[in-house]
Amino acid sequence: MAQDRTTALNGFEGDPAIQLALAYARASDRPLFEALFALDRRLADAVRQASEPIIAQMKLAWWRDRFAQDRAEWPKGEPLLERLAGWSADVSRLGPLVDGWEALLQEGPLNDEAIAAFGEGHAMAWSVAAKAVGQGEGSPRCVALLWAYADLAAHCSSPEDAQRVREVARKEGLLDQAPPHLPRPLRTLGVMGALARRSLRSGRPILSGGGDFLAGVRTGMLGR
């Protein structure tokens, strides 16, 4: 079934790559980035844990509907919504992140269009997060795409799907040069981009090869 395309993820709290990246967030920004990771994992769970695609679509539709609403109309009692409601950015633009996860529900092998939708949704989400930490539209699309593709490839349930993700990243030119230098408030994304590029180029899981940790630390300290 389509939702079996990717294997289950633990919460981001157990992901060493994300924890390394978060270590370089400013203390004031870390809760915001944690909320974005939590949202991404909530959407991932909707796709991966549903017994039928229609159930996943219904769960994703709930989030899409929230982002189409004014945040003042959001239902009370959902802690993650309460965290997102505090962002000083246009949270309605998080809708494409939902669309990107829904693209994975298609039947058959993962295709380029679904992979691109997944990547663009994540790039948009990081653009919103960048605005929320005072960086305008300062989140480089290429860095967010690197992370999205590496994370997707690492959790594909078939080697063929994982290879297709890496091929899309290569065709988009993301592996040809190092990610750009990022300002201090976006150092978390910079670490993610550095780790993701190494993963996509090698075909190894994120933060699993020799030198990966040091590359992440160097990027966290220097920005590239």
Side-chain angles (χ1 to χ4, degrees), residues 19-166:
Q19 290 303 313
L20 176 61
L22 283 171
Y24 293 95
R26 297 183 302 186
S28 59
D29 298 334
R30 179 168 176 141
L32 185 145
F33 293 140
E34 289 178 339
L36 180 55
F37 286 126
L39 172 62
D40 196 37
R41 291 319 185 225
R42 185 77 66 85
L43 300 177
D45 288 345
V47 170
R48 295 178 175 123
Q49 295 177 0
S51 58
E52 296 292 340
I54 187 63
I55 297 176
Q57 289 170 338
M58 291 172 62
K59 291 181 178 180
L60 294 174
W62 187 89
W63 285 98
R64 185 182 294 107
D65 290 345
R66 300 292 75 75
F67 297 134
Q69 285 181 312
D70 186 286
R71 70 184 83 185
E73 301 174 2
W74 285 358
K76 306 301 181 183
E78 166 51 69
L80 182 51
L81 277 183
E82 292 176 2
R83 295 164 70 185
L84 295 171
W87 285 23
S88 57
D90 184 3
V91 291
S92 70
R93 296 175 63 205
L94 293 174
L97 181 63
V98 182
D99 297 337
W101 278 105
E102 187 169 20
L104 302 185
L105 292 172
Q106 65 176 2
E107 295 292 343
L110 194 60
N111 61 41
D112 290 4
E113 291 74 19
I115 296 168
F118 184 85
E120 291 298 338
H122 283 75
M124 178 63 76
W126 275 98
S127 178
V128 177
K131 180 70 177 293
V133 297
Q135 295 302 299
E137 299 301 318
S139 173
R141 173 178 173 274
C142 63
V143 184
L145 286 176
L146 279 169
W147 175 259
Y149 290 156
D151 194 39
L152 178 58
H155 295 97
C156 284
S157 57
S158 78
E160 293 77 16
D161 280 349
Q163 182 59 31
R164 177 63 61 85
V165 175
R166 289 191 286 268

Side-chain angles (χ1 to χ4, degrees), residues 1 53 63 117 175:
M1 297 176 67
W63 285 98
L175 310 185

Side-chain angles (χ1 to χ4, degrees), residues 159-203:
E160 293 77 16
D161 280 349
Q163 182 59 31
R164 177 63 61 85
V165 175
R166 289 191 286 268
E167 288 173 359
V168 168
R170 187 169 290 106
K171 285 190 294 186
E172 293 188 16
L174 298 174
L175 310 185
D176 297 336
Q177 55 187 1
H181 180 275
L182 292 181
R184 178 67 181 87
L186 296 179
R187 204 61 59 81
T188 288
L189 182 58
V191 173
M192 292 160 57
L195 297 177
R197 180 172 177 266
R198 292 174 68 90
S199 174
L200 289 167
R201 294 185 74 178
S202 67

